Amino acid sequence: MVIKQWALSDFDIGRPLGKGKFGNVYLAREKEKGIVVALKILFKSQLVKSNVEHQLIREIEIQAHLSHPNILRMYNYFHDEKKIILILEYALGGELFKELQRKKRFDEPTSAKYIFQVSDALNYCHSKKVIHRDIKPENILIGSNGEVKIADFGWSVHAGKSRRETMCGTLDYLPPEMITRAKYDEAVDYWSVGVLCYEFLVGKPPFETKTKEDTYKRIRNISYVFPSFVSAGARDLIGKLLVRDPKQRINLVQVMEHHWVMSHVRREAIDRASQSSDPNE
Ligand SMILES: Clc1ccc(CN2CCN(c3c(Br)cnc4[nH]c(-c5ccc(CN6CCOCC6)cc5)nc34)CC2)cc1
């Protein structure tokens, strides 16, 4: 069997979808079959300068083997002397955090639907011993049917490793054990689902403050408050995830089965999630 060697000349490159520190993402169409994809074009020089090649290798290894309707597919990748190119699924609806900025906050049915889908995707990752570790609106895209798709596995790891990287970017989503540099496991993603649910409903994360120190303190003390419009059901779910002891947090199946989530998620979505195979396969 001949493995196809991809090259940029196999694609018609369209508009940039976004620019990042290490490169850009472009809309593109594969010439032979006309398939629309997103090409993430990264510059080796930038990656080496920031010493993040190992992160990209892990992202490729992990995302290439995951196949789930709520995880952005990585079809393939290739490189030339200057660039590494990831061939990714194109998410029609764009970035979730822009949608959240536009709407200020999501209503309860929308938030519950998104939390169900993110939990289903993470549960699938955990079944493959993959911890995402960086769940936040910036790393979630919207598909053609309004479903969410987890992207950017740059910070994910295979479970069991307590590998610690210098954390860059927002601290808002880090659970206490990642701040106190303790050993951690899948339960770090449970915590992030709690933070994500709060941010969907309120429009900002629960521990957000002006300075990193204050955010650390509020995470360590698990100090947050609900605005009056957050329902009792949503408070109950978030309260069962933002728990200091990772072992006391409810797991992702319990999130999907929580009465507040179930009250908003339609029957066929639940049936689809319970099927073991990926209906898109
Ligand atoms: Cl190296 C790097 C460069 C940029 C980024 C930030 N984004 C990461 C996600 N990117 C996308 C990926 Br990957 C896959 N499918 C996508 N689809 C889109 C997208 C799709 C549609 C739009 C247009 N909006 C859609 C919603 O209504 C208003 C218009 C905007 C973006 N962005 C991506 C876009 C860039 C991350 C890493």
Side-chain angles (χ1 to χ4, degrees):
M1 171 185 59
V2 175
I3 302 281
K4 176 174 177 59
Q5 285 308 316
W6 289 97
L8 279 172
S9 55
D10 292 321
F11 300 89
D12 289 318
I13 310 271
R15 71 181 180 90
L17 292 168
K19 301 194 179 302
K21 189 171 170 220
F22 305 112
N24 303 326
V25 176
Y26 295 88
L27 183 60
R29 186 180 47 230
E30 192 270 328
K31 286 175 180 168
E32 210 170 284
K33 296 199 182 67
I35 299 170
V36 172
V37 295
L39 289 184
K40 191 178 210 179
I41 302 181
L42 302 162
F43 293 96
K44 290 182 178 175
S45 55
Q46 288 279 36
L47 294 167
V48 170
K49 217 165 22 178
S50 309
N51 184 22
V52 290
E53 314 96 289
H54 68 285
Q55 231 176 288
L56 178 68
I57 291 164
R58 202 160 46 209
E59 177 179 352
I60 291 172
E61 275 169 11
I62 286 174
Q63 203 161 352
H65 295 93
L66 297 177
S67 170
H68 184 281
N70 299 113
I71 295 176
L72 194 79
R73 287 301 300 276
M74 180 187 294
Y75 302 121
N76 215 318
Y77 62 96
F78 58 98
H79 64 95
D80 62 23
E81 71 282 355
K82 287 196 172 35
K83 305 183 287 295
I84 296 176
I85 297 96
L86 309 186
I87 309 173
L88 298 165
E89 175 185 358
Y90 170 63
L92 201 67
E95 297 176 313
L96 187 66
F97 85 94
K98 287 198 180 138
E99 175 79 359
L100 184 54
Q101 279 175 337
R102 227 188 342 262
K103 292 205 169 148
K104 300 283 171 270
R105 55 189 173 90
F106 297 138
D107 62 27
E108 301 227 340
T110 305
S111 301
K113 179 183 84 169
Y114 287 166
I115 289 301
F116 181 90
Q117 292 172 359
V118 167
S119 299
D120 189 26
L122 284 175
N123 193 45
Y124 167 83
C125 292
H126 292 178
S127 73
K128 302 226 167 201
K129 305 310 284 168
V130 168
I131 311 175
H132 190 283
R133 291 198 314 172
D134 196 16
I135 290 300
K136 56 190 176 188
E138 290 78 349
N139 290 341
I140 300 174
L141 296 167
I142 302 172
S144 50
N145 307 318
E147 78 279 21
V148 291
K149 294 188 177 267
I150 296 179
D152 202 339
F153 282 75
W155 282 100
S156 54
V157 285
H158 279 103
K161 294 198 184 81
S162 70
R163 191 192 304 276
R164 292 185 288 266
E165 271 83 11
T166 48
M167 289 289 156
C168 58
T170 173
L171 301 172
D172 286 306
Y173 279 75
L174 292 186
E177 65 271 23
M178 272 180 95
I179 285 189
T180 55
R181 311 177 87 67
K183 191 163 165 42
Y184 52 83
D185 60 11
E186 285 85 347
V188 303
D189 286 341
Y190 305 169
W191 174 277
S192 302
V193 168
V195 177
L196 192 68
C197 188
Y198 182 101
E199 180 163 5
F200 284 166
L201 291 165
V202 178
K204 59 184 180 26
F207 307 111
E208 189 176 76
T209 53
K210 283 180 289 304
T211 69
K212 276 195 172 185
E213 290 67 30
D214 290 351
T215 304
Y216 268 121
K217 227 182 299 178
R218 293 186 60 192
I219 292 173
R220 268 205 306 272
N221 303 329
I222 315 202
S223 120
Y224 66 98
V225 291
F226 289 112
S228 56
F229 56 76
V230 178
S231 71
R235 293 171 191 235
D236 181 73
L237 174 63
I238 294 168
K240 288 173 176 168
L241 290 165
L242 299 186
V243 170
R244 177 184 313 284
D245 178 0
K247 303 224 172 328
Q248 297 305 317
R249 291 170 203 156
I250 60 171
N251 65 37
L252 297 168
V253 172
Q254 290 167 306
V255 172
M256 288 191 272
E257 291 174 349
H258 187 276
H259 60 83
W260 178 73
V261 174
M262 297 285 270
S263 67
H264 293 297
V265 174
R266 286 199 306 280
R267 186 77 241 149
E268 83 276 2
I270 294 168
D271 296 344
R272 188 170 50 236
S274 61
Q275 281 159 14
S276 54
S277 66
D278 164 13
N280 289 7
E281 261 167 355

